[in-house]
Amino acid sequence: MAHRSGFVALFGPPNSGKSTLLNALVGAKVAITSPVPQTTRTPLRGILTLPDAQVVFVDTPGLHRPRHKLGEHMVRGARKVLEEVDLALLVLDASRTPGEEAEAAAEAAGRVRVPLLVALNKQDLATEESLQTWRRWLQDRLRPEEVLTISALRGEGLDRLVDSLVQRIPEGPPYFSPEDLTDQPLQALVREIIREKVLELTREEIPHAVAVELEEFRKAPDRDVTYIRATLHVERPSQKKILVGSGGRVVREIGRRARPEIEAWVGGSVYLDLWVKVSEDWRRKDGFLRRLYPQG
């Protein structure tokens, strides 16, 4: 049997479960997840290696109507991915009904020049009526090659989904080593883990106003510890006050939650030094966005 390998874009509205799906498919946490919409800010890859195939999934920021330069940057990155893959998988939240965000995703899907499949995610939360509503909407708007119902969180329907994808990617050798789960640099993974813990602890207060920048990442010469210094950028002094917390309680808890996951990726002990800085209106500044979220 010929070996197959290819790139598959995961795209769709914010909070449809793309990152949860990526982690479930790869079998490891390579993308942060959060109930907060637009958690994913840059495209990232997760690699699934099978005996006769390798599927490189590219998770993209949620497609939405941008309200600032960060949003424009995210949507631009997602659309660029759709021009460079072998297959496109539109992920939709089946527990909701089609709305403005789904229309934005459909608009992007209508322009893809590769085979299009749809995963109706969160089937465990959806009714049969909502599933039928989505199927009719898809038939009217897109007519994809195949529509599959799945639950990324519960792992339901994923084997069939993978089979459908593998059948449609081209023949060819693998792009990555079988041991690889992602091509993200270690520093990028660390930065995202820290941001995930910020989202867990602050939720409504500052989710989109925080960015994490690694200032230092080095192995201490005198002991087996990796020293990591990171700056958490926010836009307002009031947000800094929330993120630091009374007596530094919140920022310490961010570090406490992030450290075990970072140590698992680093492969040893970590000293995590977190600072909070006000960088006014950073989401509207092109230079800041290019520095923190380069798109190549």
Side-chain angles (χ1 to χ4, degrees), residues 73-125:
H73 190 80
M74 291 161 60
V75 171
R76 195 160 51 242
R79 287 179 172 163
K80 185 181 180 199
V81 167
L82 291 171
E83 297 172 359
E84 300 171 343
V85 293
D86 301 296
L87 195 63
L89 178 65
L90 174 58
V91 183
L92 298 167
D93 181 351
S95 69
R96 304 171 65 185
T97 54
E100 181 183 345
E101 291 175 339
E103 288 295 336
E107 182 183 328
R111 293 198 295 265
V112 301
R113 299 179 182 178
V114 295
L116 172 69
L117 279 72
V118 173
L120 292 176
N121 191 24
K122 307 185 186 182
Q123 67 173 15
D124 50 309
L125 303 176

Side-chain angles (χ1 to χ4, degrees), residues 98 161 171:
L161 172 62
E171 294 183 4

Side-chain angles (χ1 to χ4, degrees), residues 1 9 14-15 27-29 44 53 143-144 150 155 186 209 271:
M1 183 183 293
N15 223 23
K29 185 176 177 179
L44 59 92
R143 300 194 178 184
I150 66 166
L186 180 58
Y271 183 90

Side-chain angles (χ1 to χ4, degrees), residues 248-273:
R249 180 186 61 82
V250 176
V251 74
R252 281 199 303 272
E253 180 64 12
I254 292 167
R256 189 190 70 79
R257 295 190 185 193
R259 192 175 298 106
E261 291 187 32
I262 294 171
E263 288 178 337
W265 281 104
V266 170
S269 298
V270 164
Y271 183 90
L272 189 56
D273 191 8

Side-chain angles (χ1 to χ4, degrees), residues 10 22 54 65 92-93 107 109 130 150-151 157 168 179 181 185 238 252 276 295:
L10 304 179
L22 175 66
Q54 186 176 82
R65 310 289 183 193
L92 298 167
D93 181 351
E107 182 183 328
S130 68
I150 66 166
S151 171
R168 292 173 170 87
E179 294 79 26
L181 297 174
S238 60
R252 281 199 303 272
V276 182
Q295 290 184 350

Side-chain angles (χ1 to χ4, degrees), residues 271-289:
Y271 183 90
L272 189 56
D273 191 8
L274 301 180
W275 297 80
V276 182
K277 178 181 179 181
V278 177
S279 299
E280 190 172 348
D281 290 330
W282 67 261
R283 286 179 292 178
R284 301 182 185 278
K285 296 177 179 177
D286 286 325
F288 193 97
L289 294 173

